[in-house]
Amino acid sequence: MPSSVQRKRIRKDPADRRAEIVAAAAGIALTEGLECITLRRIGEELDVRPGLISHYFPAVEDLVAEAFGHAASAELDALIPAGRTDGTPTRHLARFFAHATGQAYDNISRLWLNARHLSRYRPVLSDRVVAQEAAWRERLEGLIRDGVGRGEFRTDDPLVAAIRILVVLDGLGAHANTDTGNRPPAIRRRRQHRGA
Amino acid sequence: MPSSVQRKRIRKDPADRRAEIVAAAAGIALTEGLECITLRRIGEELDVRPGLISHYFPAVEDLVAEAFGHAASAELDALIPAGRTDGTPTRHLARFFAHATGQAYDNISRLWLNARHLSRYRPVLSDRVVAQEAAWRERLEGLIRDGVGRGEFRTDDPLVAAIRILVVLDGLGAHANTDTGNRPPAIRRRRQHRGA
DNA sequence: CAAGCTATTGAGTGTGCGACCAATAAGCAA
DNA sequence: TTGCTTATTGGTCGCACACTCAATAGCTTG
């Protein structure tokens, strides 16, 4: 009868189980950090033996990379929806800045910081990071290009403008783990977008 | 007679030994990363038993923090000398930019990235990072303030200008582990300094 | 209902880590 | 030279990790 002493096995469809593992790992990555993605930790999260995680991901590094990709691309979709049809570019960009400079974005900043550092040791993760960087850049560039087309923004080079925005965002996000909360207002204040 | 099978003990002055340990740890931190600062690794580096490192640093975390502080403050001194008497602020700032955007700075970028991430888990290190951030900010602010006093730069708020520079530098440095080397020239090109 | 496929478990291996401590010997002082 | 202080060693302990694999049991199919 005891639920913990003898647990009933739950046998799931492999695809579902795999997705479940990735989702759990992505959650851990966001809240606790990528190095907390261990066979034991994920197994505990899903109430499953560590060996099962190994079964789906023979090398943990692959799960780490997958988890990062999952979390990062989900966040990107939330930040700048993929198939924008509603709203103006200006409105979308404003939403982007509002979210990306808010406190709720701290976990994402931490994740990027985490992933960029860990990339030093994990080639598979590194590839994912590079891919996500490209995805974010392209999505933002597309938005800016759209705005330029509609006469809402002015810039000679939407790609460079996008990169500049992302660089500043990365620079601000670098302090997500150490910030004591006393940024000068001039830094905290959202920048006006401005041509190249 | 074999040097490795039975090593002659070398007994050093505690202060010297301690400094030696910190220097070795700082070197490892720069080249291999802060998580490679282990009792075994540092002991090997100095050809000494791991227990000795424990003797000087009962908690490894303290050594990690010390090593980071050592490396970071040494780099700051190399970047912007403490007691500037030679050269103009413009020249010093130019030197600063030249060095901080060069490839030789990659190890420093990696170290900052490393430290900022690890700060998430290591409070002692976190304090050091905050302190070094302040030191860098103040040193750069002093340089800018000097330049403003001499009429070489123009800005209403040297502190904000310094922070902006550092934020961009952090943003660029975030990619030290993943960069594939194909940055658009417009991003690579050193920015002109410009008033607030 | 029976049989087979395979998702899941349980148990074990080897590695590297920080921490701890009694024993040892280097160098200084008497 | 002798003796003392203490820097240094060698060994050990417990823990967490990834990875492996034979045994087990849930589900589906005939």
Side-chain angles (χ1 to χ4, degrees):
Chain A
M1 214 74 28
S3 66
S4 45
V5 51
Q6 185 55 12
R7 337 165 326 85
K8 174 156 168 55
R9 289 190 186 183
I10 299 176
R11 191 188 175 100
K12 296 195 173 176
D13 178 85
D16 293 349
R17 184 63 97 181
R18 190 188 164 92
E20 188 184 40
I21 291 174
V22 171
I28 302 282
L30 272 169
T31 55
E32 305 174 21
L34 291 166
E35 29 278 283
C36 292
I37 298 181
T38 69
L39 301 180
R40 287 164 178 75
R41 183 70 188 81
I42 305 298
E44 171 193 335
E45 193 72 11
L46 298 176
D47 196 35
V48 136
R49 301 297 115 210
L52 185 61
I53 314 298
S54 268
H55 176 69
Y56 287 92
F57 291 89
V60 190
E61 178 173 0
D62 293 334
L63 174 56
V64 172
E66 190 83 11
F68 167 76
H70 187 81
S73 69
E75 176 64 20
L76 175 55
D77 286 342
L79 229 43
I80 309 177
R84 273 177 296 107
T85 56
D86 62 320
T88 66
T90 299
R91 197 166 294 274
H92 275 288
L93 190 60
R95 225 174 53 90
F96 172 79
F97 277 129
H99 191 176
T101 55
Q103 200 170 353
Y105 192 74
D106 277 1
N107 275 346
I108 307 292
S109 292
R110 284 194 192 95
L111 180 64
W112 274 106
L113 195 57
N114 194 170
R116 290 205 169 101
H117 165 62
L118 212 56
S119 286
R120 180 174 188 170
Y121 307 106
R122 314 237 156 140
V124 186
L125 175 60
S126 178
D127 290 347
R128 283 293 183 126
V129 170
V130 170
Q132 282 296 322
E133 280 170 351
W136 283 52
R137 201 183 314 127
E138 283 157 19
R139 186 82 58 95
L140 182 56
E141 183 197 353
L143 176 56
I144 294 176
R145 195 177 296 278
D146 243 45
V148 170
R150 296 205 196 186
E152 296 180 18
F153 311 146
R154 208 171 350 146
T155 175
D156 291 336
D157 192 335
L159 173 60
V160 170
I163 295 181
R164 284 190 176 149
I165 290 172
L166 290 173
V167 164
V168 172
L169 240 42
D170 288 338
L172 293 172
H175 304 244
N177 286 326
T178 48
D179 231 351
T180 47
N182 48 2
R183 262 183 204 164
I187 301 298
R188 195 168 5 201
R189 212 165 38 232
R190 188 192 321 153
R191 276 154 203 68
Q192 313 237 5
H193 53 274
R194 148 196 322 171
Chain B
M1 224 59 39
S3 65
S4 44
V5 50
Q6 185 54 12
R7 337 165 327 85
K8 174 155 170 52
R9 290 189 185 184
I10 300 175
R11 190 187 176 99
K12 297 196 172 175
D13 178 85
D16 293 350
R17 184 63 97 181
R18 189 188 164 91
E20 188 184 39
I21 291 173
V22 171
I28 302 282
L30 271 170
T31 55
E32 304 175 20
L34 291 166
E35 29 278 284
C36 292
I37 298 182
T38 68
L39 301 179
R40 287 163 177 79
R41 182 71 187 82
I42 304 298
E44 170 193 336
E45 193 72 11
L46 298 176
D47 196 35
V48 135
R49 301 297 115 208
L52 186 61
I53 313 298
S54 268
H55 175 69
Y56 286 93
F57 291 89
V60 190
E61 177 172 2
D62 293 333
L63 174 56
V64 172
E66 190 83 11
F68 167 75
H70 187 80
S73 70
E75 175 64 20
L76 176 55
D77 286 342
L79 228 43
I80 309 177
R84 272 176 296 109
T85 56
D86 63 320
T88 66
T90 299
R91 197 167 292 275
H92 274 288
L93 190 60
R95 225 174 52 90
F96 172 79
F97 277 129
H99 191 176
T101 54
Q103 199 170 353
Y105 192 74
D106 277 1
N107 275 345
I108 307 293
S109 293
R110 284 194 192 94
L111 179 64
W112 273 106
L113 195 58
N114 194 169
R116 290 205 170 102
H117 165 63
L118 212 57
S119 286
R120 180 173 187 171
Y121 307 106
R122 313 239 156 140
V124 187
L125 175 61
S126 178
D127 291 346
R128 282 294 184 124
V129 170
V130 170
Q132 282 296 323
E133 281 170 352
W136 283 53
R137 199 183 314 128
E138 283 158 19
R139 186 80 60 93
L140 183 56
E141 183 196 355
L143 175 57
I144 294 176
R145 193 177 298 278
D146 242 45
V148 170
R150 296 205 197 186
E152 296 180 18
F153 311 145
R154 208 171 349 147
T155 175
D156 291 336
D157 192 334
L159 174 59
V160 170
I163 295 181
R164 285 190 175 150
I165 290 173
L166 291 173
V167 163
V168 172
L169 241 42
D170 288 338
L172 293 172
H175 305 237
N177 286 326
T178 48
D179 231 352
T180 48
N182 47 3
R183 262 183 205 164
I187 301 299
R188 194 167 8 201
R189 213 164 40 232
R190 190 192 319 151
R191 277 153 202 69
Q192 312 237 8
H193 53 274
R194 149 196 320 173

